Each structure stands twice: as structure tokens, then as C-alpha cells.
Amino acid sequence: MSFEHVRLDREGGALRITLDRPEVLNALSPELLDELRQALEGPAAEPEVRAVLLTGAGRGFCAGADLARTPVDADIQGLLEERYHPIVRQLSGLPKPVVAGVNGVAAGAGMSLALACDLRLVSSAASFAVGFTGIGLVMDASCSHTLPRLVGLGRAFELVYGGRRVPAEEALDLGLAERLLDAEGFADAAWAYVRSLADGPTYAYALAKRELRASLANDLEAQLALEAEMQGRAASSADVREGIAAFREKRPPRFRGR
Ligand code: LHQ
């Protein structure tokens, strides 16, 4: 599979997807969106891929929709349903860890993509800008779903009204990011983190991801039922046998991801 606007690297079970239009801070052109969707539905979904890193080339993570290529009188509703929603569903639904490596500014729908990932590693040079309202639009590509869940309703309002730019350190405090890493060496550190996740118990991670994602909508009874089902599956995996054997033998486990 060869792409022009998205770069893919594989190392062991880790896949890195790099948005690759650095001259426009990786703004989302129709071509980039198509390639990103193909990368997420193809290579990222292969069972041999056990963790995914989404990051950006150059000094930006993603500046959102390509404003030079997206006429505002276009069918934006159709565009979102056709091109953006499948990407969001893959980022949040892939049965493996999906990590955003936010190397630089993440704005508008670029911020949406980062928030749709399971967690965000941010460079000290990164920033977030809700952005949409600054140009008279509203949140899309799942930002209005993830943002209040991550930062709380009041803080979401504060970020949306005004659309200010949030620097990396504040993003960490607010809950927009989970780890702050030095800009120097960020790409290597983010990749090492995701490579280490790819050696983990992928099947347990996938089941845990279902539990956590479902917890936001479930009541206690529904969540207890889901946990029992997920634990039943985890307990019958080869990885749990390896995990327990490694514990008894006082050695690191060698998980095979199922
Ligand atoms: C860009 C962009 C960009 C094109 C920087 N497009 N070129 C809407 C419609 C449809 C469906 C889906 O969703 C949406 C929602 C959205 O995502 S709307 C777009 C939301 N994004 C924004 O409003 C961000 C617009 N960009 C900015 O405000 C700034 O560029 C930020 C704050 C991101 C970065 O500022 P700087 O670091 O000062 O960089 P810059 O502004 O100089 O940008 C560098 C280049 O990238 C520049 O090109 P140039 O040829 O002048 O060097 C920009 O024009 C280009 N660029 N964002 N979204």
C-alpha cells in the first residue's frame, strides 16, 4: 500500500501513522483523509499490529480541515459522515491501543482526531486549539463527545468560547493529555512508548478498551455485566496463562497478544 499524504512505518507489532503535509501543518485534505481511512481500516486493523501511533510530520500535529480545500458551502454534513466519521470510529474502536503523539499544534478536526485516540502523549512544543468557533463553525469529528468527558463540561465551554490555544503543560493539567514529553527527542520517545505497548497483552488491552469506552454510557449494572463478560474472555486467553506462569517463575511475561 503506498500513500502520498500519510506515512506508515512498522516495527514489530507497532504501526506509526504520520500525517504528512507539513507545509500546511498536516491540514486534512480529501486525499489525506482517504489515505488515513485506508491506513486505519487496512494495516492498522491487521492482527499482527498490536499498537498504533498517530502523529504529524514537521512542526504541527494537524491543523484540522484544510481550509483552502474545503469550500464552506460544500456539503459539510455529508463530508463528515463520509470521510471523517469512519476515521473516528476506527481510532476509538480498533481493538488495540491507539495513541496520539501530539508533536505540535492540534486544531479543529485535528484536535478531534487526537481526542478520539485512547490517550495523548504531548510534546512540550505542542498545543491544542478547539479552533472551530474561531471561524464560526462548531465542534465535529467527535470533539463534542470527547472534550467534556476529558476536561468536564465547564472547562469544555471555556475552551470552546473563544477557542484559545492551550499550551502542552496546561493541556496535561486539564486532562487533554496524559503524558508530557520533552520536544527534544519527542518522536523517538513516543515511538518507544507505543512499541512497548505492542509487546503487551493486546487481547486484554482490547477488552479493557471496550470496558473503558462503554463505561461512559453504561450504568453500574450494565458495566458489571460487561466486566464479567470481558473477564471471562480474558481468563481463557493464552496471555493470561503466560502472565500467571511468568509471575510464578519470577520472569517477565512474553505476551503473544491473544
Ligand atoms: C492551513 C491550515 C488549515 C489549510 C494552517 N488549512 N492551511 C470543518 C469543515 C469540514 C469538515 C470537517 O471539519 C471542519 C472543522 C475544522 O477542522 S475547521 C479548521 C479548524 N482549524 C483551524 O481553524 C486552524 C487554522 N489554522 C490556524 O489557526 C493556525 O494555522 C494555527 C493556530 C493552527 C497555527 O498557527 P501558526 O503556528 O502561526 O502557523 P501558520 O498559521 O503560519 O500556518 C502555517 C501554514 O499552514 C500556513 O501556510 P503558509 O502558506 O502561509 O505558510 C497556513 O495557511 C497553513 N495552514 N492551518 N486548517
Side-chain angles (χ1 to χ4, degrees):
M1 214 173 257
S2 85
F3 294 127
E4 249 184 86
H5 309 284
V6 156
R7 215 172 341 116
L8 302 188
D9 311 85
R10 261 291 286 278
E11 205 175 309
L15 175 73
R16 176 167 49 193
I17 304 177
T18 306
L19 308 175
D20 197 12
R21 300 184 69 217
E23 65 289 356
V24 286
L25 306 176
N26 307 312
L28 302 164
S29 62
E31 297 79 12
L32 187 153
L33 288 165
D34 282 348
E35 291 185 5
L36 178 57
R37 178 183 181 167
Q38 286 174 49
L40 290 168
E41 290 179 351
E46 287 169 11
E48 299 73 29
V49 168
R50 293 169 54 185
V52 177
L53 173 67
L54 177 68
T55 192
R59 72 177 176 90
F61 172 75
C62 176
D66 186 329
L67 295 173
R69 303 276 315 279
T70 312
V72 277
D73 54 359
D75 174 12
I76 287 190
Q77 190 175 344
L79 179 70
L80 284 165
E81 285 162 0
E82 192 187 322
R83 291 190 196 267
Y84 284 76
H85 295 184
I87 291 171
V88 169
R89 288 191 191 101
Q90 283 298 101
L91 291 173
S92 65
L94 275 170
K96 58 194 79 177
V98 177
V99 175
V102 185
N103 53 302
V105 64
M111 176 163 167
S112 304
L113 296 187
L115 300 192
C117 294
D118 300 337
L119 62 101
R120 286 140 295 283
L121 310 178
V122 290
S123 152
S124 49
S127 58
F128 290 85
V130 180
F132 307 93
T133 47
I135 54 170
L137 290 174
V138 293
M139 286 167 282
D140 64 19
S142 77
C143 188
S144 66
H145 186 80
T146 49
L147 184 65
R149 285 170 167 76
L150 288 168
V151 305
L153 196 55
R155 287 185 175 131
F157 273 118
E158 194 271 327
L159 295 177
V160 171
Y161 293 158
R164 71 185 173 88
R165 212 160 154 176
V166 179
E169 211 163 304
E170 188 190 350
L172 189 74
D173 291 343
L174 282 174
L176 283 173
E178 286 66 39
R179 276 197 194 194
L180 175 62
L181 302 169
D182 241 19
E184 198 177 327
F186 174 78
D188 288 343
W191 189 219
Y193 177 81
V194 171
R195 286 202 318 270
S196 78
L197 286 183
D199 291 330
T202 309
Y203 186 55
Y205 286 163
L207 299 172
K209 179 165 173 168
R210 272 192 62 188
E211 288 182 342
L212 287 176
R213 294 237 173 231
S215 72
L216 300 170
N218 277 349
D219 63 17
L220 177 63
E221 285 308 319
Q223 195 64 17
L224 286 173
L226 181 68
E227 282 183 350
E229 186 195 338
M230 297 298 104
Q231 194 67 301
R233 291 194 201 180
S236 62
S237 68
D239 275 351
V240 78
R241 289 195 291 280
E242 165 61 9
I244 292 171
F247 174 76
R248 288 190 181 136
E249 293 158 23
K250 299 189 187 303
R251 60 168 175 83
R254 288 182 297 270
F255 291 119
R256 291 163 58 198
R258 55 193 150 80

